[in-house]
């Protein structure tokens, strides 16, 4: 018997070949219809979502998770508005990247094309269901969604709305598939569905992402954790330093581009260290420091080796003194997660050394790490922030959901 | 105890951080020194190579494999000349891909950067040792080479020459590492060396590539097999058709961009089929045909389902009649390997349908599939031909060995 995953994989692949040649206009029309349908269906969506919440409460789910799952009128409207913004973005499909005119008359064009079928494995966030489906459709891709059992009623209802909307459009209904069986086995089946899947995108915590990266033979678009550092060089301007450190740590501590560790040049520390630590402390941040830091201020807690490798995602920061920019670079390349790294300095040469030598998706001179974000970078959409080096690195906009294809136009050319 | 793979992985990673910031001039100087050293060392290289050949002969290795392993004066000189050509190519590292000027004064630059450490797993071709090392150095990458036991003496000698050359340059000797233990376990260790390896590139036959793709948790740059088709539409020009079919099949049948299967519109076949089959047959090609083909010419052999999925890499072609372009597209998307696919037609609309709907790295209108090649495309170098959709697709030049990095220049900006 064919499994649900196999069956829906096959349907998605077939749909991808139709979707592949749809115009931007046809795709945008479908997106608009989905946004409208979600508003039309919102009472039903909220009612189905309530079933997930009831089960979650019964199972003693933490309130933060329940809040992530919850849909209400405002949230459904926000999801629909996000689709309207997506409609306005440029369609990357068909974009000419390169043109080669050969002496023999061959014209070779390299253009962006859809990836084909995207497999999305994610945790208990019903909004990802819509986000993944609409980003995929915008870029001409079919999608297979595998959400969490704890949002099952919500996901089924949301995908039913998408299907109702697509029925009225040029886009095949089969382009969006939801795996309803939330048994762990269906995830494993997706890991190896090379026949139908072109890429797998895990969205969720580190454990989920690591599992997919380590197990899947289908290529993975990896979005990673952020153990981000700020290095304060000996020529750093104090005002900039305080502003950037507090922003990078406290503006939204739970996200991957928040700073987790502060490296300070020992000369600078002698002059400004206590003032900076006091300012960070007063902003509500727990200081986990090395021996010198703990000597300098009594509210600091002693750092262990583990602290330097930890992404706190909390109002907590490790602080360590270093001899120079080289020690800072070495520390970051050892403990960092290749996400976002900043230097504060007035010395351009030192800045350049840092920016070139630190191995990360985004490197900052005199600015907060919090800017690593698809919307901040002006991409208008964000698939996630890639910390891998192949295909896409850093904030991924719509082009990350495309591949390329060489179109070769001839009139009888053969190779001599 | 640290294994050879772990130890050399660590050295390569450390070297990659130094190599990373070397100038194009420094890298080119090192490449030139390597070319010179190979010429200086050629007697020794040929002598060491002779040991591999002797062992191979003793073990009854086929003469085609022995020929692939063999180094002589001409071949060493050819390898050195290829390095001189590589020196002349543009260095992709540092290339500006995107610049974003934010209203708050932030300047965001997206630039090409080296990948870091490349792991190369390959079969019995000593020339790949030099090719992989020099392409990696040119793009600022360190490399870990894992060649075949049957070329062990050659590989050790070649890498020793590289090291002797690098000693006189600004490029760290540790940037090129050879795993000398050719036990299968060392390959498996490389599959999961995520701590030190940024990408794995298998070069060799389908079995090797499949093994790496299926087993490795390190990201893989996949170069694949080519089951390439030519579809002859009902408006195809006869002269172009014959020329292209014979070229794509016979010019070099053993390579991945050679045609393996011919799909012919039944109307066109009624008029020109026998003439075309005769021409291909006279070019020395065995015709494996469907029922109609076998009825039309007595030298055709009956095709099975398996034939349509087979990459013959030989003077053999499967021939099948189809109703129209849609049946051709469906057949290709079912049996093809997403490499190179051609249509011959005088109807531009039909051509566009084919080019857009066929899922392949390179699609051709009225030209031979044999052009899918980094040198033919003008890239001046070729890492391989990618049939995967992430990172790079089709012929890969030097940019395929780079990643990107966002350089963000500020003067105190924080996120509001």
């Amino acid at each position: 018997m064919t499994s649900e995953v196999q069956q829906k994989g096959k349907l998605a692949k077939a749909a991808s070949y139709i979707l592949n040649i749809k115009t931007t206009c046809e795709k945008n029309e479908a997106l608009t219809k989905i946004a409208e349908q979600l508003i039309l269906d919102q009472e039903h969506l909220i009612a189905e979502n309530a079933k997930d919440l009831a089960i979650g409460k019964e199972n003693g789910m933490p309130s933060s998770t329940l809040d992530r799952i919850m849909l209400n009128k405002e949230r459904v409207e926000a999801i629909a508005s996000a689709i309207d913004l997506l409609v306005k973005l440029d369609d990357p499909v068909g974009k000419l990247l390169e043109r080669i005119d050969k002496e023999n008359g061959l014209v070779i064009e390299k253009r962006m094309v859809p990836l084909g079928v995207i497999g999305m494995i994610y945790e208990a966030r019903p909004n990802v269901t819509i986000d993944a489906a609409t980003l995929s459709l915008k870029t001409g891709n079919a999608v297979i969604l595998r959400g969490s059992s704890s949002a099952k009623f919500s996901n089924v209802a949301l995908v039913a709305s998408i299907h109702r909307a697509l029925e009225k459009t040029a886009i095949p209904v089969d382009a969006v598939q939801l795996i309803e069986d939330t048994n762990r086995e269906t995830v494993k089946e997706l890991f190896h569905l090379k026949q139908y899947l072109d890429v797998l995108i895990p969205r969720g915590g580190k454990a989920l992402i690591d599992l997919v990266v380590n197990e899947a033979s289908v290529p993975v678009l990896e979005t990673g954790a952020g153990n981000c550092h700020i290095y304060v060089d000996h020529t750093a301007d104090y005002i900039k330093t305080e502003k950037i450190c507090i922003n990078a740590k406290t503006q939204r501590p739970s996200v991957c581009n928040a700073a987790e560790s502060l490296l300070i040049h020992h000369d600078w520390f002698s002059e400004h260290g206590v003032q900076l630590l006091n300012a960070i402390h007063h902003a509500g941040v727990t200081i986990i420091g090395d021996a010198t830091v703990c000597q300098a201020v009594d509210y600091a807690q002693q750092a262990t080796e583990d602290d330097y490798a930890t992404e706190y995602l909390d109002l907590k920061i490790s602080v360590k003194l270093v001899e120079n920019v080289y020690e800072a670079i070495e520390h970051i390349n050892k403990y960092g997660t290749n996400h976002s790294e900043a230097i504060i300095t007035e010395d351009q040469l030192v800045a350049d050394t840092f920016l070139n030598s630190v191995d990360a998706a985004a490197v900052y001179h005199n600015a907060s790490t919090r800017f690593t974000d698809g919307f901040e970078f002006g991409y208008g959409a964000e698939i996630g922030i890639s910390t891998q080096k192949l295909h896409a690195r850093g904030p991924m906009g719509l082009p990350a959901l495309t591949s390329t294809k060489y179109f070769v136009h001839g009139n009888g050319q053969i190779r001599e």
Side-chain angles (χ1 to χ4, degrees), chain A residues 221-224 338-339 361 384-396:
Chain A
L221 261 192
E222 182 180 355
T223 56
N338 313 113
H339 195 294
I385 297 171
S386 162
T387 52
Q388 70 183 17
K389 289 189 181 171
L390 294 190
H391 189 67
R393 195 181 191 200
M396 296 186 284

Side-chain angles (χ1 to χ4, degrees), chain A residues 230 244 248 341-344 364-371:
Chain A
I230 297 172
I244 291 171
E341 305 293 352
I343 182 172
I344 310 177
Y364 291 84
H365 178 204
N366 289 345
S368 170
T369 55
R370 287 280 294 116
F371 287 109

Side-chain angles (χ1 to χ4, degrees), chain A residues 93 174 331:
Chain A
V93 173
D174 282 338
H331 180 96

Side-chain angles (χ1 to χ4, degrees), chain A residues 205-254:
Chain A
K206 187 169 157 44
L208 173 71
I209 292 167
D210 285 349
L211 178 74
V212 178
V213 168
N214 289 326
E215 298 293 326
S217 49
V218 173
V220 178
L221 261 192
E222 182 180 355
T223 56
N227 185 20
C228 306
H229 300 73
I230 297 172
Y231 166 58
V232 183
D233 187 44
H234 70 111
T235 63
D237 174 81
Y238 181 78
I239 305 288
K240 289 179 192 167
T241 305
E242 183 182 311
K243 227 171 58 168
I244 291 171
C245 289
I246 290 181
N247 182 259
K249 180 66 262 183
T250 69
Q251 200 241 358
R252 208 174 158 201
S254 63

Side-chain angles (χ1 to χ4, degrees), chain A residues 274-292:
Chain A
V274 173
Q275 188 183 357
L276 178 66
L277 292 176
N278 284 341
I280 296 174
H281 180 60
H282 290 139
V285 178
T286 303
I287 308 283
I288 315 288
D290 68 6
T292 317

Side-chain angles (χ1 to χ4, degrees), chain A residues 266-409:
Chain A
H266 64 98
D267 288 348
W268 193 91
F269 188 83
S270 312
E271 205 171 331
H272 308 287
V274 173
Q275 188 183 357
L276 178 66
L277 292 176
N278 284 341
I280 296 174
H281 180 60
H282 290 139
V285 178
T286 303
I287 308 283
I288 315 288
D290 68 6
T292 317
V293 168
C294 289
Q295 254 177 341
V297 297
D298 58 7
Y299 48 77
Q301 300 168 20
Q302 180 67 47
T304 66
E305 191 73 8
D306 276 354
D307 280 300
Y308 299 131
T310 301
E311 190 187 10
Y312 296 121
L313 298 172
D314 201 353
L315 285 173
K316 225 173 174 184
I317 196 161
S318 68
V319 185
K320 186 183 192 297
L321 301 206
V322 293
E323 288 296 310
N324 51 39
V325 69
Y326 302 105
E327 191 186 338
I329 292 166
E330 206 177 321
H331 180 96
I332 293 171
N333 285 341
K334 181 172 177 189
Y335 293 102
T337 54
N338 313 113
H339 195 294
S340 302
E341 305 293 352
I343 182 172
I344 310 177
T345 183
E346 295 303 306
D347 184 330
Q348 189 62 49
L349 275 178
V350 174
D352 287 341
T353 300
F354 181 92
L355 299 182
N356 285 315
S357 298
V358 158
D359 194 11
V363 287
Y364 291 84
H365 178 204
N366 289 345
S368 170
T369 55
R370 287 280 294 116
F371 287 109
T372 305
D373 176 284
F375 297 95
E376 288 293 325
F377 278 22
Y379 294 161
E382 189 187 271
I383 319 302
I385 297 171
S386 162
T387 52
Q388 70 183 17
K389 289 189 181 171
L390 294 190
H391 189 67
R393 195 181 191 200
M396 296 186 284
L398 295 177
L401 295 184
T402 68
S403 181
T404 60
K405 188 173 182 176
Y406 288 98
F407 293 79
V408 186
H409 309 281

